[in-house]
Amino acid sequence: MTVKAILKEKGGDVFSMSPDTTLAAVAQELSSRKIGALLIMEGDRLAGILSERDIVRQIAATGAAALDAPAASVMTKSVETAALDDLIDDVMSRMTTSRFRHMPVVEGGRVVGLISIGDVVKRRIEAAVRERDEIRDYIMST
């Protein structure tokens, strides 16, 4: 299964904010949309990614004043991305090894989606269950 299959089912909605948005505004957006991360965009260019974890770490390090800081000061600037044809197992391995939970999907230099480790694991479990059922059906039919 590929990243394209995940986005086909999930959709390609991507929520983003600008680098000068405060962490308080980012936190509000994450909370209201019930998401764990959003992209920081400069026009059509991916500038970074900012997650709930990033905000919590910044608050722990600098206190409540962190909420007034701009997203650009906290976001991950070196963002690993996936392509539509990437295999789910490869993406899951990259996310696990690098210890991050969200990955933008880029095609032709343009962001076309955002997947989470939850999306990847869900599809991997569905595939394993499907495979189990096919093996069981095969065994039962012989």
Side-chain angles (χ1 to χ4, degrees), residues 9-108:
E9 184 178 319
K10 173 186 174 169
D13 290 343
V14 178
F15 303 108
S16 65
M17 298 186 101
S18 67
D20 60 344
T21 305
T22 65
L23 291 187
V26 171
Q28 179 60 44
E29 187 74 4
L30 292 171
S31 177
S32 69
R33 294 193 181 275
K34 297 181 171 81
I35 56 175
L38 55 76
L39 301 182
I40 304 301
M41 304 287 290
E42 290 179 328
D44 290 340
R45 186 182 75 78
L46 177 62
I49 188 167
L50 190 57
S51 71
E52 295 167 318
R53 277 187 190 177
D54 297 325
I55 296 170
V56 168
R57 285 184 184 129
Q58 189 66 18
I59 292 170
T62 63
L67 294 173
D68 295 326
S73 69
V74 178
M75 70 185 185
T76 300
K77 294 176 180 125
S78 179
V79 182
E80 284 197 47
T81 63
L84 290 172
D85 293 332
D86 285 353
L87 298 176
I88 288 176
D89 288 344
D90 294 338
V91 169
M92 184 169 22
S93 176
R94 288 172 56 201
M95 291 173 114
T96 302
T97 301
S98 298
R99 300 183 52 85
F100 57 86
R101 299 180 293 170
H102 300 88
M103 185 180 280
V105 180
V106 176
E107 196 66 26

